[in-house]
Every structure is written in structure tokens, then in C-alpha cells.
Amino acid sequence: SSSSSKSSQSHAPQQAAGAVSSTLVSFCSGAAYGSASVVVGQPLDTVKTRMQALPAEYKSSPVRVAVDLMRREGIRGLYRGGTPLFIGGALFRSAQFGVYEAALQTLRRTLPPKRYKWFDYQVILAGAVGGLGRAFVEAPFEFVKVRRQVEQPWRLGLVYGNSHPLFVRNVFLFTFFAFFLDVARYTTEGRLGPFATGAICANLAWLAVWPLDVVKNQAQSGFNGNANMVTLLRQANASGLLYRGLLPGLLRSTLANGVAMVAYTRTKDFFLKNNNSAVRK
């Protein structure tokens, strides 16, 4: 029994190192996801945000918003707010995936497995934690991005102002994304491919939380004072804005998340392949 005890103790550091390594890989892969997502999706995100949060654009079509902005500022106008998101995107995406992976590993070790066909409650819980982790990192970058996109001033002291809708949105958004991603992996066994997997799962998640994204942008825009999330939801519902910007938003989600999932998958495979080679050596 003493030998088995020593054996288990000797394996414990290796298992811990493996867990840390896996989490680090997820952080690095998430950073690749975030960077790719911003480069590909920022122009459509700018159009979507202006449609949702800039009162002068509440009645404009996506094409009109894009054309007017390009006439005034050129292609740079479509990348308004891109700098903070490019810097922060790698950070909050890596936090999202890294925290999710760490939470999922903890749940796997401490709670009994309960998968009902394609439903795994541990994925749901870990997704909520990952979304919360993302929100803490994303809030200041997203605040600056939105203010730049709708041409409103911002100050450092306000970066966490009116961010409660963002926290709620992110918890539900990544929970749905993790759930749909797990379902896709369980039902298709990887046959779908990373681009289609990322695009489909992201779009389904965004459709589930779109009204929260609308009020998140309105809250951070500076045009609605300190109105709370419930008030903004009621106003958006009454004015028909609950699904404002859906077309450019889903197009952005398809392109950005499809490409980003390819970047995430290839980065993760690269690290895991090199990690396994180092272990064998």
C-alpha cells in the first residue's frame, strides 16, 4: 500500500503539470482566436454597433451606415474602435477559453460525470465561468471600442461604467457557445470542420442573446445616461430595436468566428503536437 501511495504521489505533480499545460495551451489558442476575430470582423462590428447604439442610425440600413462612414473616413472608419479590441481581443478571448478549460478540468475532477446524450451540465457551468472571466477582462476594452465606434468621448474612470449588461451578456453568450460547441463535437465527431463549427455555434449563441447585445451597446454608448438593463430592454422592445443590427452581426459572426476557430484549432494542435513530442523525448 505504501508503494501505491508513493506511486500516486509521484503522479500527482505530473497530472498538475498536465493541467497547467492544457490551460496554457487554451490561453494561447484563445489569443489566436481573438486576434483573428478582430482582423476579419471589425468592419461589420462597427456597422452593427452604430445601428444599435447611435440614435442617428436607428433607421439606417447596414449598407447606408457603411457607405456614409466610408465616404467620411475611408476604410479606417470601418475599423473605428479596432485598436482597443485588437489589444484586448487576444486577452479576453484567451481568458475566456483559459478560464473555461480550467473550470472544466476542476469540475471533471470534483463532480460526478453526468452526460445525458448530448447534454453535459459541467460544460454549461464551465461556460458560465468562462463568460464571467471574459467579462472582467473585456469590459474596459469594449467600453472604449463602443465609444469610438459611435464617436463619443470616453475617460479612463468610466471604463467599467454601465458594464452590467456586458457581464450578463457574456455569461449567457459563452455558456451557449460552449454548449453548442460540445453538442457539435458530440454529434458530428469532428466531421463538420473548424470553420463551420465556429461559425454555426457562434451564430446560434448570438441569436440566443442578441437583445442583450443591443442593450449592452446602448448602455456603453453614452446616449442613455445611467438607464439600467431592464429599462433599456423595455425601450428596445417598444421601439422595435431588440434585434437591430442582426444581419451585419451574424455576417460578422460567421466570417470572424469561422476564421477564428480555424486559428484556434491550428494553434492548439501546434502546441499539443510540440508538447507531446517534448514528453516523448
Side-chain angles (χ1 to χ4, degrees), residues 139-203:
F141 296 103
E142 187 72 8
F143 173 82
V144 177
K145 185 214 75 167
V146 170
R147 287 298 179 99
R148 291 281 296 127
Q149 286 176 322
V150 299
E151 303 175 52
Q152 283 287 89
W154 64 275
R155 324 193 288 274
L156 195 60
L158 296 176
V159 293
Y160 275 99
N162 292 333
S163 61
H164 52 285
L166 179 141
F167 276 79
V168 176
R169 184 205 70 172
N170 281 12
V171 168
F172 282 101
L173 177 63
F174 195 65
T175 298
F176 278 114
F177 180 72
F179 168 70
F180 289 127
L181 194 60
D182 185 61
V183 171
R185 288 169 176 166
Y186 182 79
T187 56
T188 68
E189 298 179 348
R191 294 189 300 271
L192 197 57
F195 185 95
T197 299
I200 293 171
C201 294
N203 281 348

Short mmCIF file of all heavy atoms in Angstrom, two decimals, residues 139-203:
data_model
loop_
_atom_site.label_atom_id
_atom_site.label_comp_id
_atom_site.label_asym_id
_atom_site.label_seq_id
_atom_site.Cartn_x
_atom_site.Cartn_y
_atom_site.Cartn_z
N ALA A 139 -14.52 44.21 -20.41
CA ALA A 139 -15.33 45.40 -20.15
C ALA A 139 -14.64 46.72 -20.51
O ALA A 139 -15.22 47.54 -21.24
CB ALA A 139 -15.80 45.41 -18.69
N PRO A 140 -13.43 46.99 -20.03
CA PRO A 140 -12.82 48.28 -20.37
C PRO A 140 -12.50 48.44 -21.86
O PRO A 140 -12.68 49.52 -22.43
CB PRO A 140 -11.54 48.32 -19.52
CG PRO A 140 -11.26 46.90 -19.16
CD PRO A 140 -12.59 46.23 -19.09
N PHE A 141 -12.03 47.36 -22.49
CA PHE A 141 -11.71 47.43 -23.92
C PHE A 141 -12.98 47.63 -24.75
O PHE A 141 -12.99 48.40 -25.72
CB PHE A 141 -11.00 46.15 -24.37
CG PHE A 141 -9.67 45.94 -23.73
CD1 PHE A 141 -9.52 45.01 -22.70
CD2 PHE A 141 -8.55 46.65 -24.13
CE1 PHE A 141 -8.29 44.80 -22.10
CE2 PHE A 141 -7.32 46.45 -23.55
CZ PHE A 141 -7.19 45.53 -22.52
N GLU A 142 -14.03 46.94 -24.38
CA GLU A 142 -15.29 47.04 -25.10
C GLU A 142 -15.91 48.43 -24.94
O GLU A 142 -16.51 48.97 -25.87
CB GLU A 142 -16.26 45.96 -24.61
CG GLU A 142 -17.56 45.85 -25.39
CD GLU A 142 -17.38 45.24 -26.78
OE1 GLU A 142 -16.27 44.77 -27.09
OE2 GLU A 142 -18.36 45.26 -27.55
N PHE A 143 -15.76 48.99 -23.75
CA PHE A 143 -16.28 50.34 -23.49
C PHE A 143 -15.62 51.35 -24.44
O PHE A 143 -16.30 52.15 -25.09
CB PHE A 143 -16.02 50.73 -22.03
CG PHE A 143 -16.36 52.16 -21.72
CD1 PHE A 143 -17.67 52.54 -21.46
CD2 PHE A 143 -15.37 53.13 -21.70
CE1 PHE A 143 -17.98 53.86 -21.17
CE2 PHE A 143 -15.66 54.45 -21.42
CZ PHE A 143 -16.98 54.82 -21.15
N VAL A 144 -14.28 51.32 -24.51
CA VAL A 144 -13.55 52.24 -25.39
C VAL A 144 -13.92 51.98 -26.85
O VAL A 144 -14.12 52.92 -27.63
CB VAL A 144 -12.03 52.10 -25.18
CG1 VAL A 144 -11.27 53.01 -26.15
CG2 VAL A 144 -11.65 52.42 -23.74
N LYS A 145 -14.03 50.72 -27.22
CA LYS A 145 -14.39 50.36 -28.60
C LYS A 145 -15.73 50.95 -28.99
O LYS A 145 -15.88 51.59 -30.06
CB LYS A 145 -14.42 48.85 -28.76
CG LYS A 145 -14.67 48.36 -30.19
CD LYS A 145 -15.47 47.07 -30.24
CE LYS A 145 -16.94 47.34 -29.93
NZ LYS A 145 -17.82 46.20 -30.28
N VAL A 146 -16.75 50.76 -28.15
CA VAL A 146 -18.09 51.25 -28.46
C VAL A 146 -18.10 52.78 -28.54
O VAL A 146 -18.68 53.36 -29.47
CB VAL A 146 -19.10 50.76 -27.41
CG1 VAL A 146 -20.45 51.46 -27.57
CG2 VAL A 146 -19.30 49.25 -27.52
N ARG A 147 -17.45 53.45 -27.59
CA ARG A 147 -17.41 54.91 -27.61
C ARG A 147 -16.73 55.42 -28.89
O ARG A 147 -17.16 56.42 -29.48
CB ARG A 147 -16.67 55.44 -26.37
CG ARG A 147 -17.47 55.30 -25.07
CD ARG A 147 -18.76 56.11 -25.12
NE ARG A 147 -19.54 55.97 -23.91
CZ ARG A 147 -19.54 56.84 -22.89
NH1 ARG A 147 -18.77 57.92 -22.96
NH2 ARG A 147 -20.31 56.64 -21.84
N ARG A 148 -15.67 54.75 -29.32
CA ARG A 148 -15.00 55.15 -30.56
C ARG A 148 -15.90 54.90 -31.76
O ARG A 148 -15.93 55.70 -32.71
CB ARG A 148 -13.69 54.36 -30.72
CG ARG A 148 -12.61 54.73 -29.73
CD ARG A 148 -11.88 56.01 -30.13
NE ARG A 148 -11.19 55.84 -31.39
CZ ARG A 148 -11.33 56.64 -32.46
NH1 ARG A 148 -12.15 57.68 -32.39
NH2 ARG A 148 -10.66 56.42 -33.56
N GLN A 149 -16.63 53.80 -31.75
CA GLN A 149 -17.49 53.46 -32.89
C GLN A 149 -18.65 54.43 -33.06
O GLN A 149 -19.07 54.70 -34.18
CB GLN A 149 -18.01 52.03 -32.75
CG GLN A 149 -16.95 50.96 -33.01
CD GLN A 149 -17.48 49.56 -32.77
OE1 GLN A 149 -18.25 49.33 -31.84
NE2 GLN A 149 -17.04 48.61 -33.58
N VAL A 150 -19.18 54.94 -31.94
CA VAL A 150 -20.32 55.87 -32.03
C VAL A 150 -19.88 57.32 -31.85
O VAL A 150 -20.70 58.22 -31.69
CB VAL A 150 -21.42 55.51 -31.01
CG1 VAL A 150 -21.97 54.12 -31.27
CG2 VAL A 150 -20.90 55.63 -29.57
N GLU A 151 -18.55 57.54 -31.89
CA GLU A 151 -17.97 58.88 -31.86
C GLU A 151 -18.32 59.68 -30.61
O GLU A 151 -18.64 60.86 -30.67
CB GLU A 151 -18.37 59.64 -33.13
CG GLU A 151 -17.98 58.93 -34.42
CD GLU A 151 -18.48 59.61 -35.67
OE1 GLU A 151 -18.25 60.83 -35.81
OE2 GLU A 151 -19.12 58.93 -36.50
N GLN A 152 -18.25 59.01 -29.48
CA GLN A 152 -18.49 59.64 -28.19
C GLN A 152 -17.19 59.68 -27.38
O GLN A 152 -16.36 58.76 -27.49
CB GLN A 152 -19.54 58.85 -27.40
CG GLN A 152 -20.97 59.08 -27.85
CD GLN A 152 -21.49 60.44 -27.44
OE1 GLN A 152 -21.34 61.42 -28.17
NE2 GLN A 152 -22.11 60.51 -26.28
N PRO A 153 -16.99 60.72 -26.56
CA PRO A 153 -15.78 60.79 -25.75
C PRO A 153 -15.79 59.73 -24.64
O PRO A 153 -16.85 59.24 -24.25
CB PRO A 153 -15.82 62.20 -25.17
CG PRO A 153 -17.28 62.54 -25.13
CD PRO A 153 -17.87 61.88 -26.34
N TRP A 154 -14.61 59.42 -24.14
CA TRP A 154 -14.50 58.47 -23.04
C TRP A 154 -13.39 58.91 -22.10
O TRP A 154 -12.49 59.65 -22.48
CB TRP A 154 -14.23 57.06 -23.56
CG TRP A 154 -12.92 56.90 -24.25
CD1 TRP A 154 -12.65 57.16 -25.57
CD2 TRP A 154 -11.70 56.47 -23.66
NE1 TRP A 154 -11.33 56.92 -25.85
CE2 TRP A 154 -10.71 56.49 -24.69
CE3 TRP A 154 -11.32 56.07 -22.38
CZ2 TRP A 154 -9.39 56.13 -24.47
CZ3 TRP A 154 -10.00 55.70 -22.15
CH2 TRP A 154 -9.06 55.73 -23.19
N ARG A 155 -13.49 58.47 -20.84
CA ARG A 155 -12.45 58.71 -19.85
C ARG A 155 -12.11 57.42 -19.15
O ARG A 155 -12.95 56.52 -19.05
CB ARG A 155 -12.84 59.71 -18.76
CG ARG A 155 -13.66 60.81 -19.09
CD ARG A 155 -13.69 61.88 -17.97
NE ARG A 155 -14.42 61.46 -16.80
CZ ARG A 155 -15.73 61.60 -16.66
NH1 ARG A 155 -16.43 62.12 -17.64
NH2 ARG A 155 -16.33 61.23 -15.55
N LEU A 156 -10.88 57.34 -18.65
CA LEU A 156 -10.41 56.12 -18.02
C LEU A 156 -11.26 55.74 -16.83
O LEU A 156 -11.51 54.56 -16.58
CB LEU A 156 -8.94 56.29 -17.58
CG LEU A 156 -8.19 55.01 -17.23
CD1 LEU A 156 -8.14 54.08 -18.42
CD2 LEU A 156 -6.77 55.34 -16.74
N GLY A 157 -11.76 56.72 -16.10
CA GLY A 157 -12.55 56.43 -14.91
C GLY A 157 -13.91 55.83 -15.19
O GLY A 157 -14.60 55.38 -14.27
N LEU A 158 -14.32 55.82 -16.47
CA LEU A 158 -15.65 55.31 -16.82
C LEU A 158 -15.62 53.93 -17.47
O LEU A 158 -16.67 53.42 -17.87
CB LEU A 158 -16.34 56.28 -17.79
CG LEU A 158 -16.67 57.68 -17.28
CD1 LEU A 158 -17.25 58.52 -18.40
CD2 LEU A 158 -17.65 57.61 -16.11
N VAL A 159 -14.44 53.31 -17.58
CA VAL A 159 -14.33 52.10 -18.39
C VAL A 159 -15.18 50.94 -17.88
O VAL A 159 -15.54 50.05 -18.66
CB VAL A 159 -12.86 51.65 -18.54
CG1 VAL A 159 -12.07 52.65 -19.35
CG2 VAL A 159 -12.22 51.41 -17.18
N TYR A 160 -15.49 50.93 -16.59
CA TYR A 160 -16.38 49.88 -16.08
C TYR A 160 -17.80 50.41 -15.87
O TYR A 160 -18.64 49.72 -15.30
CB TYR A 160 -15.84 49.29 -14.78
CG TYR A 160 -14.82 48.18 -15.01
CD1 TYR A 160 -13.45 48.43 -14.93
CD2 TYR A 160 -15.22 46.88 -15.31
CE1 TYR A 160 -12.51 47.43 -15.16
CE2 TYR A 160 -14.30 45.88 -15.54
CZ TYR A 160 -12.95 46.15 -15.46
OH TYR A 160 -12.03 45.15 -15.68
N GLY A 161 -18.04 51.63 -16.32
CA GLY A 161 -19.37 52.20 -16.17
C GLY A 161 -20.39 51.52 -17.07
O GLY A 161 -20.10 51.19 -18.22
N ASN A 162 -21.59 51.32 -16.54
CA ASN A 162 -22.68 50.70 -17.31
C ASN A 162 -22.28 49.38 -17.95
O ASN A 162 -22.69 49.06 -19.07
CB ASN A 162 -23.18 51.66 -18.40
CG ASN A 162 -23.90 52.88 -17.82
OD1 ASN A 162 -24.46 52.81 -16.73
ND2 ASN A 162 -23.86 53.98 -18.53
N SER A 163 -21.45 48.62 -17.25
CA SER A 163 -20.96 47.36 -17.83
C SER A 163 -21.78 46.14 -17.39
O SER A 163 -21.50 45.03 -17.81
CB SER A 163 -19.49 47.14 -17.46
OG SER A 163 -19.32 47.06 -16.06
N HIS A 164 -22.80 46.35 -16.53
CA HIS A 164 -23.57 45.18 -16.06
C HIS A 164 -24.25 44.42 -17.20
O HIS A 164 -24.28 43.18 -17.16
CB HIS A 164 -24.60 45.60 -14.99
CG HIS A 164 -25.49 46.73 -15.38
ND1 HIS A 164 -25.07 48.04 -15.41
CD2 HIS A 164 -26.79 46.74 -15.76
CE1 HIS A 164 -26.09 48.82 -15.80
NE2 HIS A 164 -27.13 48.05 -16.03
N PRO A 165 -24.76 45.08 -18.26
CA PRO A 165 -25.32 44.28 -19.36
C PRO A 165 -24.27 43.43 -20.06
O PRO A 165 -24.57 42.34 -20.54
CB PRO A 165 -25.91 45.33 -20.31
CG PRO A 165 -26.13 46.54 -19.48
CD PRO A 165 -25.00 46.52 -18.49
N LEU A 166 -23.02 43.93 -20.11
CA LEU A 166 -21.95 43.15 -20.73
C LEU A 166 -21.67 41.88 -19.94
O LEU A 166 -21.47 40.81 -20.52
CB LEU A 166 -20.68 44.00 -20.84
CG LEU A 166 -19.45 43.31 -21.45
CD1 LEU A 166 -18.68 44.27 -22.34
CD2 LEU A 166 -18.50 42.76 -20.37
N PHE A 167 -21.66 41.97 -18.60
CA PHE A 167 -21.42 40.79 -17.78
C PHE A 167 -22.52 39.75 -17.99
O PHE A 167 -22.24 38.56 -18.15
CB PHE A 167 -21.34 41.18 -16.30
CG PHE A 167 -19.98 41.67 -15.88
CD1 PHE A 167 -19.58 42.97 -16.17
CD2 PHE A 167 -19.10 40.84 -15.21
CE1 PHE A 167 -18.34 43.43 -15.80
CE2 PHE A 167 -17.84 41.29 -14.83
CZ PHE A 167 -17.46 42.58 -15.12
N VAL A 168 -23.77 40.21 -18.02
CA VAL A 168 -24.89 39.29 -18.23
C VAL A 168 -24.81 38.68 -19.62
O VAL A 168 -24.96 37.46 -19.80
CB VAL A 168 -26.23 40.01 -18.02
CG1 VAL A 168 -27.40 39.08 -18.34
CG2 VAL A 168 -26.35 40.52 -16.59
N ARG A 169 -24.58 39.53 -20.62
CA ARG A 169 -24.47 39.02 -22.00
C ARG A 169 -23.37 37.98 -22.13
O ARG A 169 -23.57 36.92 -22.74
CB ARG A 169 -24.20 40.18 -22.97
CG ARG A 169 -24.16 39.75 -24.44
CD ARG A 169 -23.33 40.68 -25.30
NE ARG A 169 -21.89 40.57 -25.01
CZ ARG A 169 -20.96 41.18 -25.74
NH1 ARG A 169 -21.30 41.94 -26.78
NH2 ARG A 169 -19.67 41.04 -25.43
N ASN A 170 -22.19 38.26 -21.58
CA ASN A 170 -21.06 37.35 -21.76
C ASN A 170 -21.25 36.01 -21.07
O ASN A 170 -20.84 34.97 -21.59
CB ASN A 170 -19.78 38.01 -21.25
CG ASN A 170 -19.20 39.00 -22.23
OD1 ASN A 170 -19.85 39.36 -23.20
ND2 ASN A 170 -17.99 39.45 -22.00
N VAL A 171 -21.87 36.03 -19.90
CA VAL A 171 -22.12 34.77 -19.19
C VAL A 171 -23.02 33.87 -20.04
O VAL A 171 -22.73 32.69 -20.26
CB VAL A 171 -22.74 35.01 -17.81
CG1 VAL A 171 -23.28 33.71 -17.22
CG2 VAL A 171 -21.71 35.62 -16.86
N PHE A 172 -24.11 34.44 -20.55
CA PHE A 172 -25.02 33.64 -21.37
C PHE A 172 -24.42 33.32 -22.74
O PHE A 172 -24.59 32.21 -23.26
CB PHE A 172 -26.36 34.37 -21.54
CG PHE A 172 -27.26 34.27 -20.34
CD1 PHE A 172 -27.36 35.33 -19.45
CD2 PHE A 172 -27.98 33.12 -20.10
CE1 PHE A 172 -28.18 35.25 -18.35
CE2 PHE A 172 -28.81 33.02 -18.98
CZ PHE A 172 -28.90 34.08 -18.11
N LEU A 173 -23.71 34.28 -23.33
CA LEU A 173 -23.14 34.08 -24.66
C LEU A 173 -22.16 32.92 -24.68
O LEU A 173 -22.27 32.02 -25.52
CB LEU A 173 -22.44 35.35 -25.13
CG LEU A 173 -21.73 35.28 -26.49
CD1 LEU A 173 -22.72 35.02 -27.62
CD2 LEU A 173 -20.95 36.59 -26.75
N PHE A 174 -21.20 32.91 -23.75
CA PHE A 174 -20.21 31.84 -23.79
C PHE A 174 -20.78 30.52 -23.27
O PHE A 174 -20.33 29.45 -23.68
CB PHE A 174 -18.95 32.21 -23.02
CG PHE A 174 -17.80 31.29 -23.33
CD1 PHE A 174 -17.26 31.25 -24.61
CD2 PHE A 174 -17.29 30.43 -22.38
CE1 PHE A 174 -16.23 30.38 -24.93
CE2 PHE A 174 -16.25 29.55 -22.68
CZ PHE A 174 -15.71 29.53 -23.96
N THR A 175 -21.77 30.59 -22.40
CA THR A 175 -22.44 29.36 -21.97
C THR A 175 -23.10 28.67 -23.16
O THR A 175 -22.94 27.46 -23.37
CB THR A 175 -23.49 29.65 -20.89
OG1 THR A 175 -22.86 30.21 -19.74
CG2 THR A 175 -24.23 28.39 -20.49
N PHE A 176 -23.82 29.45 -23.96
CA PHE A 176 -24.46 28.89 -25.16
C PHE A 176 -23.41 28.41 -26.16
O PHE A 176 -23.57 27.36 -26.77
CB PHE A 176 -25.37 29.93 -25.81
CG PHE A 176 -26.73 30.04 -25.18
CD1 PHE A 176 -27.13 31.20 -24.53
CD2 PHE A 176 -27.63 28.98 -25.24
CE1 PHE A 176 -28.38 31.30 -23.94
CE2 PHE A 176 -28.89 29.06 -24.67
CZ PHE A 176 -29.27 30.23 -24.01
N PHE A 177 -22.34 29.21 -26.34
CA PHE A 177 -21.31 28.83 -27.30
C PHE A 177 -20.65 27.51 -26.89
O PHE A 177 -20.46 26.61 -27.72
CB PHE A 177 -20.26 29.93 -27.42
CG PHE A 177 -19.16 29.61 -28.39
CD1 PHE A 177 -19.40 29.63 -29.76
CD2 PHE A 177 -17.88 29.30 -27.96
CE1 PHE A 177 -18.39 29.33 -30.67
CE2 PHE A 177 -16.86 29.00 -28.85
CZ PHE A 177 -17.12 29.02 -30.22
N ALA A 178 -20.29 27.39 -25.62
CA ALA A 178 -19.67 26.16 -25.12
C ALA A 178 -20.62 24.98 -25.27
O ALA A 178 -20.20 23.86 -25.65
CB ALA A 178 -19.25 26.32 -23.66
N PHE A 179 -21.89 25.22 -25.00
CA PHE A 179 -22.90 24.15 -25.11
C PHE A 179 -23.03 23.69 -26.56
O PHE A 179 -22.97 22.48 -26.85
CB PHE A 179 -24.24 24.66 -24.59
CG PHE A 179 -25.41 23.77 -24.93
CD1 PHE A 179 -25.55 22.53 -24.33
CD2 PHE A 179 -26.36 24.16 -25.87
CE1 PHE A 179 -26.61 21.69 -24.64
CE2 PHE A 179 -27.42 23.33 -26.18
CZ PHE A 179 -27.55 22.10 -25.57
N PHE A 180 -23.20 24.63 -27.49
CA PHE A 180 -23.36 24.26 -28.90
C PHE A 180 -22.09 23.63 -29.46
O PHE A 180 -22.14 22.71 -30.28
CB PHE A 180 -23.75 25.49 -29.73
CG PHE A 180 -25.15 25.97 -29.48
CD1 PHE A 180 -25.39 27.30 -29.14
CD2 PHE A 180 -26.23 25.11 -29.57
CE1 PHE A 180 -26.68 27.75 -28.92
CE2 PHE A 180 -27.53 25.55 -29.33
CZ PHE A 180 -27.76 26.88 -29.00
N LEU A 181 -20.92 24.10 -29.00
CA LEU A 181 -19.66 23.52 -29.44
C LEU A 181 -19.53 22.08 -28.98
O LEU A 181 -19.11 21.19 -29.73
CB LEU A 181 -18.50 24.36 -28.90
CG LEU A 181 -17.11 24.14 -29.51
CD1 LEU A 181 -17.12 24.44 -31.00
CD2 LEU A 181 -16.09 25.00 -28.79
N ASP A 182 -19.95 21.83 -27.74
CA ASP A 182 -19.90 20.47 -27.20
C ASP A 182 -20.87 19.55 -27.94
O ASP A 182 -20.56 18.40 -28.24
CB ASP A 182 -20.23 20.49 -25.71
CG ASP A 182 -20.07 19.13 -25.05
OD1 ASP A 182 -18.95 18.58 -25.07
OD2 ASP A 182 -21.08 18.62 -24.51
N VAL A 183 -22.06 20.08 -28.23
CA VAL A 183 -23.06 19.31 -28.97
C VAL A 183 -22.53 18.97 -30.37
O VAL A 183 -22.67 17.83 -30.85
CB VAL A 183 -24.38 20.08 -29.08
CG1 VAL A 183 -25.35 19.38 -30.05
CG2 VAL A 183 -25.04 20.20 -27.71
N ALA A 184 -21.90 19.97 -31.04
CA ALA A 184 -21.36 19.74 -32.38
C ALA A 184 -20.28 18.66 -32.36
O ALA A 184 -20.25 17.78 -33.23
CB ALA A 184 -20.79 21.04 -32.94
N ARG A 185 -19.41 18.71 -31.37
CA ARG A 185 -18.34 17.71 -31.28
C ARG A 185 -18.92 16.33 -30.97
O ARG A 185 -18.44 15.32 -31.48
CB ARG A 185 -17.35 18.12 -30.19
CG ARG A 185 -16.49 19.30 -30.59
CD ARG A 185 -15.71 19.85 -29.40
NE ARG A 185 -14.82 20.93 -29.81
CZ ARG A 185 -14.23 21.77 -28.96
NH1 ARG A 185 -14.45 21.64 -27.66
NH2 ARG A 185 -13.43 22.71 -29.40
N TYR A 186 -19.97 16.29 -30.15
CA TYR A 186 -20.56 15.01 -29.75
C TYR A 186 -21.34 14.37 -30.90
O TYR A 186 -21.31 13.15 -31.09
CB TYR A 186 -21.48 15.24 -28.55
CG TYR A 186 -22.12 13.99 -28.01
CD1 TYR A 186 -21.41 13.11 -27.19
CD2 TYR A 186 -23.44 13.67 -28.32
CE1 TYR A 186 -22.00 11.96 -26.69
CE2 TYR A 186 -24.04 12.53 -27.83
CZ TYR A 186 -23.32 11.67 -27.02
OH TYR A 186 -23.91 10.53 -26.53
N THR A 187 -22.04 15.21 -31.67
CA THR A 187 -22.93 14.67 -32.71
C THR A 187 -22.23 14.48 -34.05
O THR A 187 -22.61 13.60 -34.83
CB THR A 187 -24.15 15.59 -32.90
OG1 THR A 187 -23.70 16.93 -33.20
CG2 THR A 187 -25.01 15.61 -31.65
N THR A 188 -21.22 15.30 -34.35
CA THR A 188 -20.57 15.20 -35.66
C THR A 188 -19.21 14.52 -35.59
O THR A 188 -18.64 14.19 -36.63
CB THR A 188 -20.38 16.59 -36.29
OG1 THR A 188 -19.41 17.34 -35.53
CG2 THR A 188 -21.69 17.36 -36.32
N GLU A 189 -18.67 14.38 -34.37
CA GLU A 189 -17.36 13.74 -34.16
C GLU A 189 -16.27 14.37 -35.02
O GLU A 189 -15.42 13.70 -35.58
CB GLU A 189 -17.46 12.24 -34.45
CG GLU A 189 -18.44 11.51 -33.52
CD GLU A 189 -18.56 10.03 -33.85
OE1 GLU A 189 -18.07 9.61 -34.91
OE2 GLU A 189 -19.13 9.31 -33.02
N GLY A 190 -16.31 15.71 -35.11
CA GLY A 190 -15.26 16.44 -35.82
C GLY A 190 -15.41 16.52 -37.31
O GLY A 190 -14.57 17.12 -37.99
N ARG A 191 -16.46 15.92 -37.87
CA ARG A 191 -16.62 15.90 -39.33
C ARG A 191 -17.03 17.26 -39.90
O ARG A 191 -16.93 17.48 -41.10
CB ARG A 191 -17.66 14.84 -39.73
CG ARG A 191 -17.25 13.41 -39.44
CD ARG A 191 -18.23 12.42 -40.05
NE ARG A 191 -19.57 12.59 -39.54
CZ ARG A 191 -20.05 11.99 -38.46
NH1 ARG A 191 -19.27 11.18 -37.76
NH2 ARG A 191 -21.29 12.18 -38.07
N LEU A 192 -17.49 18.16 -39.05
CA LEU A 192 -18.00 19.44 -39.52
C LEU A 192 -16.90 20.38 -39.97
O LEU A 192 -17.09 21.19 -40.87
CB LEU A 192 -18.84 20.11 -38.41
CG LEU A 192 -19.78 21.23 -38.82
CD1 LEU A 192 -20.76 20.75 -39.89
CD2 LEU A 192 -20.54 21.74 -37.60
N GLY A 193 -15.71 20.29 -39.38
CA GLY A 193 -14.61 21.18 -39.73
C GLY A 193 -14.63 22.42 -38.84
O GLY A 193 -15.69 22.87 -38.41
N PRO A 194 -13.45 23.01 -38.56
CA PRO A 194 -13.38 24.12 -37.61
C PRO A 194 -14.09 25.39 -38.07
O PRO A 194 -14.71 26.08 -37.25
CB PRO A 194 -11.87 24.36 -37.45
CG PRO A 194 -11.23 23.74 -38.64
CD PRO A 194 -12.11 22.58 -39.01
N PHE A 195 -14.04 25.73 -39.37
CA PHE A 195 -14.71 26.95 -39.83
C PHE A 195 -16.22 26.85 -39.62
O PHE A 195 -16.84 27.74 -39.03
CB PHE A 195 -14.41 27.22 -41.30
CG PHE A 195 -14.98 28.53 -41.81
CD1 PHE A 195 -14.20 29.67 -41.82
CD2 PHE A 195 -16.30 28.60 -42.25
CE1 PHE A 195 -14.72 30.88 -42.27
CE2 PHE A 195 -16.84 29.80 -42.68
CZ PHE A 195 -16.04 30.95 -42.70
N ALA A 196 -16.82 25.77 -40.13
CA ALA A 196 -18.27 25.60 -39.99
C ALA A 196 -18.67 25.47 -38.52
O ALA A 196 -19.69 26.01 -38.09
CB ALA A 196 -18.72 24.37 -40.78
N THR A 197 -17.87 24.76 -37.73
CA THR A 197 -18.18 24.60 -36.31
C THR A 197 -18.19 25.94 -35.60
O THR A 197 -19.14 26.27 -34.87
CB THR A 197 -17.14 23.67 -35.63
OG1 THR A 197 -17.17 22.39 -36.26
CG2 THR A 197 -17.44 23.52 -34.15
N GLY A 198 -17.14 26.75 -35.83
CA GLY A 198 -17.07 28.06 -35.18
C GLY A 198 -18.19 28.98 -35.62
O GLY A 198 -18.82 29.65 -34.79
N ALA A 199 -18.47 29.01 -36.91
CA ALA A 199 -19.50 29.91 -37.44
C ALA A 199 -20.89 29.52 -36.95
O ALA A 199 -21.65 30.37 -36.47
CB ALA A 199 -19.45 29.90 -38.96
N ILE A 200 -21.24 28.25 -37.04
CA ILE A 200 -22.58 27.79 -36.66
C ILE A 200 -22.81 27.95 -35.16
O ILE A 200 -23.85 28.47 -34.73
CB ILE A 200 -22.80 26.33 -37.09
CG1 ILE A 200 -22.83 26.23 -38.62
CG2 ILE A 200 -24.09 25.77 -36.49
CD1 ILE A 200 -22.83 24.82 -39.15
N CYS A 201 -21.85 27.51 -34.36
CA CYS A 201 -22.01 27.57 -32.90
C CYS A 201 -22.07 29.02 -32.42
O CYS A 201 -22.87 29.36 -31.54
CB CYS A 201 -20.88 26.83 -32.20
SG CYS A 201 -20.90 25.06 -32.49
N ALA A 202 -21.24 29.89 -33.01
CA ALA A 202 -21.25 31.30 -32.62
C ALA A 202 -22.57 31.96 -33.01
O ALA A 202 -23.14 32.73 -32.23
CB ALA A 202 -20.08 32.03 -33.26
N ASN A 203 -23.07 31.68 -34.21
CA ASN A 203 -24.32 32.29 -34.65
C ASN A 203 -25.50 31.86 -33.78
O ASN A 203 -26.37 32.66 -33.43
CB ASN A 203 -24.60 31.94 -36.11
CG ASN A 203 -23.80 32.81 -37.07
OD1 ASN A 203 -23.20 33.81 -36.67
ND2 ASN A 203 -23.76 32.42 -38.33
#
